[in-house]
Amino acid sequence: MTTNLPTRHIVLPGTTNFRDLGGYVGHAGRSVRWRVLFRSDHLAGLTPDSLSTLKSLGIQRSADFRGVQERTVDAYAWQGLHTHALTVEPTVVQKAIALIHAGGSLSVADTVVLMQETYRSFVRENAAQFAQLFRLLLEEDAPTVFHCTAGKDRTGWAAALILEALGVAKADIEHDYLLTNQFYQRPAAMAARAALAVPQEVLDVLWRVQPGFLESAYAMVQREHGGMQSYLREVMQLDDAAQHALRARYLQA
């Protein structure tokens, strides 16, 4: 006998990386609820049909991790959707392009190092923004989408933290993270602009994800906080009561 589960990747014209976090097995064997937690690339290009799909999914909140300029260039605002700006500036791409414009060169190895630095900055310099996401999730369990521009790095770390807090296994967290490589497609105009300044092999590092990127964040958590549970408690401000509440809201009964 087979069970018809909801689709993880949701085809939503205007996005390519819109996904549901539901179904992963979490604390005490309880699965993450479907259709309440969504991750995505940016939402500024949604079609009228896509907006109808968002409405049918019951999505009422968005948490936007994009930087100020990103939100200005690709802004969105729709009736019934409450948006929350959790600003994390995209410094890695800025550094890469600035270096090349200044006449420098950027190898694949250099780019990997930049990406790892970016993930470590999520752990320390940008911790407040990720903690704010948890505060939103604890306010109510209204279906929520969190996103950045590509839905891969800032969004990927946010998804990892949420799944960790819900007790999902590390292997499943990494699996979810790597799904970006299967689904995300760079907009043609963005790819063309970037290719003028950055070699293709470097772009392939910038616009995809690797296990080592995520692991660099985990390594910093371990080194500076002694493990993820301590990090969730001390930095994300999720004490026993908060973690219990989060699991009550987002795990199946």
Side-chain angles (χ1 to χ4, degrees):
M1 188 172 98
T2 60
T3 301
N4 293 322
L5 293 174
T7 303
R8 182 167 306 288
H9 178 249
I10 299 172
V11 177
L12 199 64
T15 72
T16 60
N17 202 15
F18 192 98
R19 312 200 314 259
D20 192 323
L21 284 187
Y24 295 115
V25 177
H27 180 72
R30 298 158 58 197
S31 295
V32 180
R33 290 171 56 199
W34 289 97
R35 298 305 189 246
V36 289
L37 293 169
F38 301 89
R39 53 173 294 174
S40 183
D41 42 343
H42 81 74
L43 305 173
L46 295 187
T47 66
D49 285 346
S50 295
L51 292 175
S52 295
T53 299
L54 281 185
K55 184 176 180 180
S56 72
L57 292 170
I59 295 174
Q60 300 175 28
R61 298 183 297 185
S62 72
D64 187 349
F65 286 106
R66 294 179 300 166
V68 173
Q69 183 177 1
E70 292 171 289
R71 290 200 308 272
T72 300
V73 171
D74 289 310
Y76 67 88
W78 305 300
Q79 185 177 6
L81 183 73
H82 301 286
T83 60
H84 303 268
L86 310 182
T87 305
V88 179
E89 294 294 342
T91 56
V92 63
V93 176
Q94 294 167 352
K95 286 180 181 178
I97 293 177
L99 177 62
I100 290 174
H101 280 169
S105 62
L106 193 65
S107 68
V108 168
D110 294 333
T111 310
V112 168
V113 169
L114 282 176
M115 292 301 297
Q116 291 171 335
E117 289 177 358
T118 294
Y119 277 72
R120 287 191 288 269
S121 76
F122 296 160
V123 174
R124 186 189 290 159
E125 287 83 2
N126 301 121
Q129 293 92 313
F130 294 100
Q132 188 176 348
L133 174 62
F134 281 113
R135 288 197 293 274
L136 290 174
L137 296 180
L138 285 166
E139 286 178 2
E140 56 178 324
D141 62 354
T144 300
V145 56
F146 57 97
H147 72 93
C148 52
T149 290
K152 69 184 195 72
D153 300 316
R154 293 164 287 190
T155 298
W157 180 238
L161 288 174
I162 290 170
L163 295 175
E164 283 283 357
L166 295 177
V168 173
K170 178 80 175 294
D172 288 334
I173 294 171
E174 184 173 292
H175 167 78
D176 185 79
Y177 173 73
L178 292 174
L179 285 177
T180 279
N181 291 339
Q182 180 177 339
F183 295 115
Y184 179 64
Q185 299 176 27
R186 278 174 281 165
M190 180 187 295
R193 288 197 305 269
L196 294 175
V198 183
Q200 183 60 48
E201 61 269 20
V202 170
L203 288 176
D204 289 341
V205 176
L206 291 172
W207 292 106
R208 292 174 64 81
V209 294
Q210 299 180 14
F213 299 166
L214 188 63
E215 189 55 40
S216 65
Y218 271 90
M220 174 169 270
V221 166
Q222 181 65 40
R223 184 168 61 251
E224 296 196 348
H225 300 277
M228 182 58 72
Q229 187 55 229
S230 294
Y231 184 76
L232 292 173
R233 291 173 181 275
E234 297 167 4
V235 183
M236 294 296 102
Q237 302 170 22
L238 296 174
D239 59 14
D240 286 344
Q243 291 193 43
H244 178 80
L246 200 70
R247 291 166 179 172
R249 287 173 183 249
Y250 297 106
L251 294 178
Q252 297 284 356

